Amino acid sequence: MTETLVPTAEAMAAPEKRLFIKTYGCQMNVYDSERMADVLRPLGYAVTDDVKAADFVILNTCHIREKAAEKIYSELGKLREMRDIRRETGRDLTIAVAGCVAQAEGEEIMRRQPAVDIVVGPQAYHQLPELLTRTARARGERIGADFAPDDKFDALPATRFTEGPTAFLTVQEGCDKFCTFCVVPYTRGAEWSRPLASVLEEARRLAGRGVREVTLLGQNVNAYDGERPDGKKATLAELAYALAAIPGLDRIRYTTSHPNDMADELIAAHGDLDALMPYLHLPVQAGSDRILRAMNRKHGRQKYFDLIDRIRTARPDIAIAGDFIVGFPGETDREFEDTLDLVRRVNYAGAFAFAYSPRPGTPAAGMSKQVEPEVAKERLHRLIALLTEQQTAFNLAQAGRTLNVLFDKPGRHGHRRQAIGRSPYLQSVHVDDADHLIGQIVPVEIVAGQQNSLMGRLSSQQKAA
Ligand code: SAH
Ligand code: SF4
Ligand code: F3S
């Protein structure tokens, strides 16, 4: 008998395999998870949201804080139990760890949890099919992930199976900034931008299937410098103008930005380009000049204030969001007060605040005078209280205004035909009798604001439409 490479009729009729992906961390990981599903679809894997139904589980992990990384090991313990029970009944389960924990501590994962079949770093997802095949033969194999994102994007399928009118689009990866607290430069490698044409092509495809809003992603997205067809470098502002010209693509967002890469041209685009949404995530991390220096943020507080002023001059209604770290090594009470003072002066529409978490291999982890956890916790509570107050006030202030809302999903109250959409300022807007408007941008009267969302109302004409 000769061997044949053509699949047998039996194999072709094999039941679909189920893929479960759990995503941790930032939006880059959300995008990557979607892309992993795209890569595995041709192999017969359909995505399930029920882990118990899965034949293949991928944990797409985050290494940014200690808690995030430790969670993975307890999750893996549960998966191992699930796999052992399965094996008794003749079924199997393949377990993969992807993302930044895979990149940072791949060896340790294999050692601590032998049930893991595949460890794959963020730049190697296009190799998943091959890894999966190899795993079937030799369980427990691991691949080293080198940094070559250009291979990754070239090798991923052009077609994306995203749903709904909003989509993420990764345009830049990696980071060269080396803030002293942060693992990203080590887990995601050097800054690298996708060529302009490749981003525009993906955006056109998304628009072609009804996407109205794209969020451009990158660890330092405003440092985007993708190659243009003429060999020169494009800027993020240039990319925004090119995207705005794509029919159907009405809204453009980008995240996350570094203050030092906020070019004049990009600030001007905020005043000029309707499609560029009036919401900017511009983390500052701390309000004290000494701490900013120790963090290697490469700018001081005054430069940040000046920047915010210039952005607000270009686009007066822009909502500013940020990230903060409290309890950085050596932070005094006084220096923490500087952070509160900065927050009061800037007035944020939303922000994330974290207690400093020492990460192995980063310069700050080795600094003397680590702040006591109780002190950091108390500072975190105070900062969050202030940020929540500002966010709530911002939301309350929308009452009475009419905002353009992009409806993107049904709400919880199906009997009231509720739909949920996004305001230009990235607020969730809940509206009754609106489920026929999903996928559309509609002016909505805001009747109330709450801590985390807005309530809107349609005119009777809109309800009937
Ligand atoms: N590239 C983005 C942020 C990436 S990480 C930027 O430069 O703004 C997301 C956020 O996690 C950071 O903004 C920071 O606030 C927080 N973070 C990063 N490392 C941390 C650490 N070691 N401890 C606590 N928070 C951290
Ligand atoms: Fe991390 Fe700083 Fe780079 Fe942001 S800019 S990813 S905080 S090193
Ligand atoms: Fe986490 Fe990696 Fe994103 S460490 S925040 S998943 S880049």
Side-chain angles (χ1 to χ4, degrees):
M1 250 178 68
T2 52
E3 249 185 53
T4 170
L5 290 173
V6 180
T8 59
E10 211 178 349
M12 304 264 288
E16 238 178 19
K17 289 166 284 183
R18 305 266 162 207
L19 166 67
F20 176 86
I21 307 182
K22 186 157 183 179
T23 309
Y24 304 82
C26 63
Q27 287 121 327
M28 312 276 300
N29 269 8
V30 176
Y31 176 88
D32 282 344
S33 291
E34 285 178 11
R35 302 306 269 139
M36 283 193 266
D38 290 341
V39 166
L40 293 168
R41 204 166 276 112
L43 271 73
Y45 281 95
V47 174
T48 173
D49 50 16
D50 176 12
V51 65
K52 292 198 195 71
D55 304 290
F56 185 17
V57 174
I58 302 176
L59 302 182
N60 193 7
T61 61
C62 174
H63 201 246
I64 202 84
R65 283 167 291 274
E66 192 180 350
K67 250 196 213 142
E70 276 308 310
K71 244 193 288 189
I72 301 308
Y73 291 100
S74 64
E75 200 65 34
L76 286 173
K78 283 189 233 156
L79 288 173
R80 186 217 174 117
E81 276 174 34
M82 200 172 112
R83 189 200 64 173
D84 291 348
I85 295 169
R86 287 254 186 116
R87 286 196 172 163
E88 286 168 17
T89 64
R91 274 181 73 204
D92 210 344
L93 177 70
T94 306
I95 302 171
V97 180
C100 292
V101 181
Q103 184 64 39
E105 44 190 82
E107 310 276 347
E108 193 180 338
I109 295 170
M110 285 305 205
R111 195 170 43 75
R112 278 177 66 175
Q113 188 45 273
V116 172
D117 299 295
I118 296 172
V119 172
V120 56
Q123 304 313 342
Y125 296 152
H126 55 292
Q127 294 170 12
L128 266 173
E130 189 193 328
L131 284 172
L132 201 55
T133 316
R134 272 203 264 151
T135 305
R137 293 193 205 120
R139 293 208 152 247
E141 199 165 326
R142 148 164 209 249
I143 178 154
D146 55 351
F147 293 114
D150 37 353
D151 292 349
K152 164 176 160 178
F153 287 103
D154 284 349
L156 289 170
T159 314
R160 288 184 55 188
F161 281 76
T162 55
E163 282 169 12
T166 62
F168 288 135
L169 206 175
T170 295
V171 302
Q172 184 270 338
E173 289 217 29
C175 181
D176 295 339
K177 300 278 190 294
F178 290 92
C179 300
T180 52
F181 52 81
C182 183
V183 292
V184 171
Y186 311 97
T187 61
R188 295 273 172 164
E191 258 173 48
W192 178 85
S193 297
R194 284 174 76 182
L196 184 67
S198 134
V199 174
L200 292 176
E201 174 58 25
E202 188 169 335
R204 273 188 216 104
R205 283 172 188 269
L206 290 170
R209 66 140 200 76
V211 168
R212 309 291 303 275
E213 175 180 307
V214 287
T215 302
L216 309 176
L217 299 180
Q219 265 89 17
N220 272 295
V221 71
N222 57 344
Y224 174 82
D225 66 349
E227 199 174 272
R228 294 197 315 213
D230 65 5
K232 296 203 179 101
K233 301 279 188 185
T235 60
L236 188 66
E238 208 176 317
L239 174 59
Y241 280 98
L243 288 167
I246 295 176
L249 219 54
D250 297 311
R251 289 179 159 196
I252 301 160
R253 303 181 184 279
Y254 58 92
T255 195
T256 295
S257 297
H258 192 288
N260 285 357
D261 291 318
M262 208 62 215
D264 290 344
E265 187 198 6
L266 183 59
I267 297 174
H270 273 283
D272 186 39
L273 203 53
D274 287 340
L276 208 48
M277 289 293 100
Y279 175 94
L280 182 63
H281 190 85
L282 196 61
V284 64
Q285 312 296 357
S288 137
D289 279 330
R290 194 189 72 84
I291 295 294
L292 286 170
R293 238 186 341 269
M295 287 178 161
N296 192 31
R297 291 292 292 181
K298 301 187 178 83
H299 68 80
R301 61 190 262 133
Q302 192 53 47
K303 185 172 170 198
Y304 187 74
F305 289 139
D306 293 346
L307 183 58
I308 298 288
D309 280 350
R310 282 192 289 134
I311 296 165
R312 284 186 168 144
T313 304
R315 179 78 203 223
D317 69 330
I318 200 160
I320 304 288
D323 290 348
F324 295 91
I325 295 178
V326 303
F328 185 84
E331 184 187 68
T332 63
D333 281 336
R334 186 64 201 278
E335 284 161 343
F336 170 64
E337 292 295 334
D338 287 343
T339 297
L340 292 178
D341 176 68
L342 177 143
V343 169
R344 281 188 207 101
R345 284 169 66 169
V346 171
N347 194 10
Y348 287 89
F352 298 103
F354 310 98
Y356 168 72
S357 167
R359 308 306 294 125
T362 59
M367 288 178 187
S368 56
K369 293 200 278 180
Q370 299 279 329
V371 172
E372 288 300 315
E374 305 78 62
V375 174
K377 207 165 146 190
E378 194 264 339
R379 288 179 189 167
L380 186 62
H381 283 311
R382 283 180 63 198
L383 177 58
I384 289 176
L386 175 60
L387 291 167
T388 306
E389 194 184 301
Q390 293 187 343
Q391 176 176 320
T392 308
F394 179 70
N395 288 348
L396 288 173
Q398 308 304 319
R401 293 184 67 188
T402 295
L403 299 179
N404 283 331
V405 173
L406 169 57
F407 286 103
D408 62 344
K409 57 182 177 217
R412 266 190 300 140
H413 304 289
H415 59 286
R416 302 200 320 238
R417 296 183 43 225
Q418 191 190 53
I420 301 176
R422 293 174 176 186
S423 79
Y425 312 107
L426 205 57
Q427 297 146 304
S428 286
V429 188
H430 298 241
V431 185
D432 286 351
D433 303 304
D435 59 358
H436 59 300
L437 296 173
I438 290 175
Q440 295 182 42
I441 299 172
V442 179
V444 172
E445 184 197 341
I446 305 302
V447 290
Q450 296 162 349
Q451 186 181 314
N452 292 310
S453 61
L454 307 179
M455 307 297 289
R457 175 167 65 201
L458 296 178
S459 67
S460 37
Q461 215 175 0
Q462 286 173 314
K463 284 183 198 172

Short mmCIF file of all heavy atoms in Angstrom, two decimals, residues 24-29 60-65 68 99-101 122 183-184 187-188 219, ligand 3:
data_model
loop_
_atom_site.label_atom_id
_atom_site.label_comp_id
_atom_site.label_asym_id
_atom_site.label_seq_id
_atom_site.Cartn_x
_atom_site.Cartn_y
_atom_site.Cartn_z
N TYR A 24 -5.80 37.72 28.10
CA TYR A 24 -5.46 38.60 29.22
C TYR A 24 -4.74 39.82 28.66
O TYR A 24 -4.21 39.79 27.56
CB TYR A 24 -4.50 37.89 30.19
CG TYR A 24 -5.01 36.58 30.73
CD1 TYR A 24 -4.90 35.41 30.00
CD2 TYR A 24 -5.61 36.52 31.99
CE1 TYR A 24 -5.36 34.21 30.50
CE2 TYR A 24 -6.07 35.33 32.50
CZ TYR A 24 -5.95 34.17 31.76
OH TYR A 24 -6.40 32.98 32.26
N GLY A 25 -4.66 40.88 29.48
CA GLY A 25 -3.77 42.00 29.13
C GLY A 25 -4.39 43.03 28.21
O GLY A 25 -5.60 43.27 28.26
N CYS A 26 -3.57 43.58 27.32
CA CYS A 26 -3.97 44.76 26.57
C CYS A 26 -4.70 44.40 25.27
O CYS A 26 -4.84 43.24 24.91
CB CYS A 26 -2.75 45.60 26.26
SG CYS A 26 -1.56 44.74 25.20
N GLN A 27 -5.11 45.46 24.55
CA GLN A 27 -5.86 45.25 23.30
C GLN A 27 -5.02 44.58 22.22
O GLN A 27 -5.57 43.95 21.33
CB GLN A 27 -6.39 46.59 22.79
CG GLN A 27 -7.54 47.10 23.61
CD GLN A 27 -7.22 48.45 24.20
OE1 GLN A 27 -6.07 48.73 24.53
NE2 GLN A 27 -8.22 49.30 24.35
N MET A 28 -3.70 44.73 22.32
CA MET A 28 -2.85 44.03 21.34
C MET A 28 -3.11 42.53 21.42
O MET A 28 -3.12 41.83 20.43
CB MET A 28 -1.36 44.26 21.64
CG MET A 28 -0.96 45.66 21.88
SD MET A 28 -0.64 46.60 20.40
CE MET A 28 0.66 45.67 19.68
N ASN A 29 -3.31 42.05 22.65
CA ASN A 29 -3.60 40.64 22.83
C ASN A 29 -4.99 40.28 22.29
O ASN A 29 -5.18 39.18 21.77
CB ASN A 29 -3.49 40.25 24.31
CG ASN A 29 -2.10 39.78 24.69
OD1 ASN A 29 -1.18 39.86 23.88
ND2 ASN A 29 -1.94 39.26 25.89
N ASN A 60 -3.80 33.39 26.13
CA ASN A 60 -3.02 34.49 25.57
C ASN A 60 -2.71 35.45 26.72
O ASN A 60 -3.55 36.23 27.14
CB ASN A 60 -3.79 35.17 24.44
CG ASN A 60 -2.90 36.10 23.64
OD1 ASN A 60 -1.68 36.13 23.85
ND2 ASN A 60 -3.49 36.85 22.74
N THR A 61 -1.49 35.40 27.21
CA THR A 61 -1.17 35.92 28.53
C THR A 61 -0.54 37.30 28.55
O THR A 61 -0.03 37.79 27.55
CB THR A 61 -0.18 34.95 29.20
OG1 THR A 61 1.01 34.92 28.39
CG2 THR A 61 -0.75 33.56 29.32
N CYS A 62 -0.53 37.88 29.75
CA CYS A 62 0.03 39.21 29.99
C CYS A 62 1.04 39.13 31.14
O CYS A 62 0.81 38.45 32.13
CB CYS A 62 -1.10 40.16 30.35
SG CYS A 62 -0.52 41.79 30.86
N HIS A 63 2.13 39.85 31.00
CA HIS A 63 3.22 39.77 31.98
C HIS A 63 3.42 41.08 32.71
O HIS A 63 4.37 41.26 33.46
CB HIS A 63 4.51 39.41 31.21
CG HIS A 63 5.58 38.81 32.06
ND1 HIS A 63 6.78 39.44 32.30
CD2 HIS A 63 5.65 37.65 32.76
CE1 HIS A 63 7.54 38.69 33.08
NE2 HIS A 63 6.87 37.60 33.37
N ILE A 64 2.50 42.03 32.52
CA ILE A 64 2.78 43.41 32.93
C ILE A 64 2.90 43.56 34.45
O ILE A 64 3.72 44.32 34.93
CB ILE A 64 1.72 44.39 32.34
CG1 ILE A 64 2.28 45.80 32.28
CG2 ILE A 64 0.41 44.36 33.07
CD1 ILE A 64 3.10 46.08 31.08
N ARG A 65 2.05 42.85 35.20
CA ARG A 65 2.15 42.88 36.66
C ARG A 65 2.19 41.46 37.18
O ARG A 65 1.74 40.53 36.51
CB ARG A 65 0.96 43.65 37.26
CG ARG A 65 1.10 45.16 37.13
CD ARG A 65 -0.18 45.90 37.42
NE ARG A 65 -1.18 45.66 36.38
CZ ARG A 65 -1.27 46.36 35.26
NH1 ARG A 65 -0.45 47.36 35.03
NH2 ARG A 65 -2.16 46.07 34.36
N ALA A 68 -0.96 39.27 37.14
CA ALA A 68 -1.38 38.82 35.82
C ALA A 68 -0.63 37.54 35.45
O ALA A 68 -1.22 36.59 34.91
CB ALA A 68 -1.10 39.91 34.79
N GLY A 99 1.42 34.78 24.10
CA GLY A 99 1.49 36.10 24.71
C GLY A 99 2.76 36.36 25.49
O GLY A 99 3.77 35.68 25.33
N CYS A 100 2.69 37.37 26.35
CA CYS A 100 3.89 37.93 26.95
C CYS A 100 4.49 37.06 28.05
O CYS A 100 5.70 37.10 28.27
CB CYS A 100 3.62 39.34 27.44
SG CYS A 100 3.32 40.47 26.06
N VAL A 101 3.69 36.24 28.75
CA VAL A 101 4.28 35.32 29.74
C VAL A 101 5.05 34.24 28.97
O VAL A 101 6.15 33.84 29.36
CB VAL A 101 3.22 34.70 30.67
CG1 VAL A 101 3.88 33.76 31.68
CG2 VAL A 101 2.45 35.78 31.40
N PRO A 122 4.61 36.19 21.02
CA PRO A 122 3.73 37.05 20.23
C PRO A 122 4.11 37.20 18.76
O PRO A 122 3.26 37.58 17.96
CB PRO A 122 3.82 38.40 20.93
CG PRO A 122 4.30 38.12 22.30
CD PRO A 122 5.13 36.89 22.23
N VAL A 183 7.91 45.66 31.46
CA VAL A 183 8.43 44.46 30.77
C VAL A 183 8.23 44.49 29.25
O VAL A 183 8.81 43.66 28.54
CB VAL A 183 7.75 43.15 31.28
CG1 VAL A 183 8.14 42.86 32.71
CG2 VAL A 183 6.23 43.22 31.11
N VAL A 184 7.41 45.41 28.77
CA VAL A 184 7.03 45.34 27.35
C VAL A 184 8.22 45.33 26.37
O VAL A 184 8.24 44.54 25.44
CB VAL A 184 6.01 46.45 27.00
CG1 VAL A 184 5.77 46.54 25.50
CG2 VAL A 184 4.69 46.19 27.72
N THR A 187 9.25 41.76 26.33
CA THR A 187 8.33 40.72 25.84
C THR A 187 7.91 40.95 24.39
O THR A 187 7.57 40.02 23.68
CB THR A 187 7.05 40.62 26.69
OG1 THR A 187 6.36 41.87 26.64
CG2 THR A 187 7.36 40.29 28.14
N ARG A 188 7.89 42.19 23.96
CA ARG A 188 7.41 42.48 22.60
C ARG A 188 8.51 42.95 21.66
O ARG A 188 8.25 43.21 20.48
CB ARG A 188 6.29 43.52 22.64
CG ARG A 188 5.04 43.07 23.34
CD ARG A 188 4.11 42.34 22.36
NE ARG A 188 2.99 41.76 23.08
CZ ARG A 188 1.87 41.33 22.52
NH1 ARG A 188 1.70 41.44 21.22
NH2 ARG A 188 0.94 40.79 23.24
N GLN A 219 1.96 49.52 21.12
CA GLN A 219 2.44 49.89 22.46
C GLN A 219 2.84 51.35 22.49
O GLN A 219 2.79 52.00 23.52
CB GLN A 219 3.64 49.04 22.86
CG GLN A 219 3.28 47.83 23.67
CD GLN A 219 2.98 46.65 22.78
OE1 GLN A 219 3.34 46.64 21.62
NE2 GLN A 219 2.32 45.66 23.32
FE1 F3S B 3 0.46 42.64 28.90
FE2 F3S B 3 2.03 42.06 26.91
FE3 F3S B 3 0.04 43.75 26.57
S1 F3S B 3 2.65 42.34 28.98
S2 F3S B 3 -0.15 44.68 28.55
S3 F3S B 3 -0.14 41.62 27.06
S4 F3S B 3 2.03 43.87 25.65
#
